[in-house]
Amino acid sequence: MKQLAKHIVATAMLGSALVSGSVMAEQKIGVVDVQSVFQAMPQAAEISNNIQMEFKDQIDEVNQLQKDGQFFAERLQRDAATMSEQEKKELQQKIQGVREQLAEKGQPLQQNIQRRSNEERNKLLGLIKQAIDNVAKKDGYDLILSAGAVSYATEQHDVSEQVLEQVKKTN
């Protein structure tokens, strides 16, 4: 009796494996490397330049503060032996003032640049998502996976080039 039950279970498992295998074979699956598509987009290079131009004045101001602070620190280190205590104290106060200004201006600037970069990156990722959807519909894919989530895929399953072409067409 136990042997018969084992055979029935084994047959049922084998049958379900064969059915699920044939169902999987009917699905058209693709893989896309979103990161490489993003990097190959002409808009990705423009984003960095546009953000640098948008915050140029603030970046220049922070860079000048850094140069001033470095100049004062080097001067203090170089000339400390010949300076009076009053001159050392004044120079240390200048250095402290520059540090405070850097903290006041540098961190918010960095946060604003990061925020803008994320906004622009998300716009491009939205374009990539639309392109993936268009390629999937046009070529009849049932499933398109991110290359980062797949251990192995053959070249015939890679649709990254088609997605990149689709993204280039939309802009």
Side-chain angles (χ1 to χ4, degrees):
M1 185 70 171
K2 285 185 177 181
Q3 281 298 76
L4 180 61
K6 286 182 181 179
H7 284 342
I8 291 173
V9 170
T11 305
M13 289 177 67
L14 181 61
S16 67
L18 290 174
V19 169
S20 66
S22 65
V23 169
M24 297 260 310
E26 294 173 14
Q27 290 184 334
K28 189 170 181 182
I29 298 174
V31 176
V32 64
D33 187 353
V34 175
Q35 187 66 27
S36 68
V37 170
F38 182 84
Q39 291 173 350
M41 292 174 67
Q43 300 95 321
E46 292 175 17
I47 286 176
S48 179
N49 293 335
N50 291 343
I51 290 174
Q52 290 295 320
M53 293 306 294
E54 183 177 335
F55 293 101
K56 184 183 183 330
D57 294 338
Q58 293 170 320
I59 291 170
D60 290 344
E61 184 178 356
V62 168
N63 287 339
Q64 186 60 47
L65 283 171
Q66 289 174 334
K67 288 177 185 176
D68 291 347
Q70 185 177 0
F71 172 76
F72 293 144
E74 288 173 357
R75 182 173 170 220
L76 180 63
Q77 186 177 17
R78 182 183 62 234
D79 299 337
T82 60
M83 294 176 122
S84 69
E85 287 302 316
Q86 181 63 28
E87 290 174 325
K88 288 180 189 177
K89 192 174 185 178
E90 288 174 7
L91 202 50
Q92 288 171 343
Q93 287 175 345
K94 285 182 182 180
I95 292 170
Q96 185 61 32
V98 168
R99 285 183 183 158
E100 290 171 2
Q101 285 181 330
L102 274 173
E104 186 179 296
K105 295 179 181 184
Q107 188 174 6
L109 173 62
Q110 187 177 10
Q111 290 172 346
N112 287 336
I113 290 172
Q114 185 66 41
R115 180 186 48 78
R116 285 288 294 128
S117 295
N118 288 341
E119 288 172 1
E120 294 300 321
R121 188 186 91 242
N122 288 339
K123 288 178 188 177
L124 292 184
L125 290 175
L127 290 175
I128 292 172
K129 171 70 172 111
Q130 287 176 343
I132 291 170
D133 292 346
N134 290 340
V135 167
K137 287 177 187 172
K138 182 178 79 174
D139 295 341
Y141 282 94
D142 297 311
L143 181 67
I144 295 184
L145 301 171
S146 173
V150 176
S151 297
Y152 174 78
T154 61
E155 281 292 316
Q156 73 184 33
H157 290 104
D158 189 2
V159 296
S160 299
E161 285 299 319
Q162 295 157 297
V163 170
L164 182 59
E165 292 303 317
Q166 185 68 37
V167 168
K168 287 179 180 178
K169 286 180 186 176
T170 56
N171 279 343

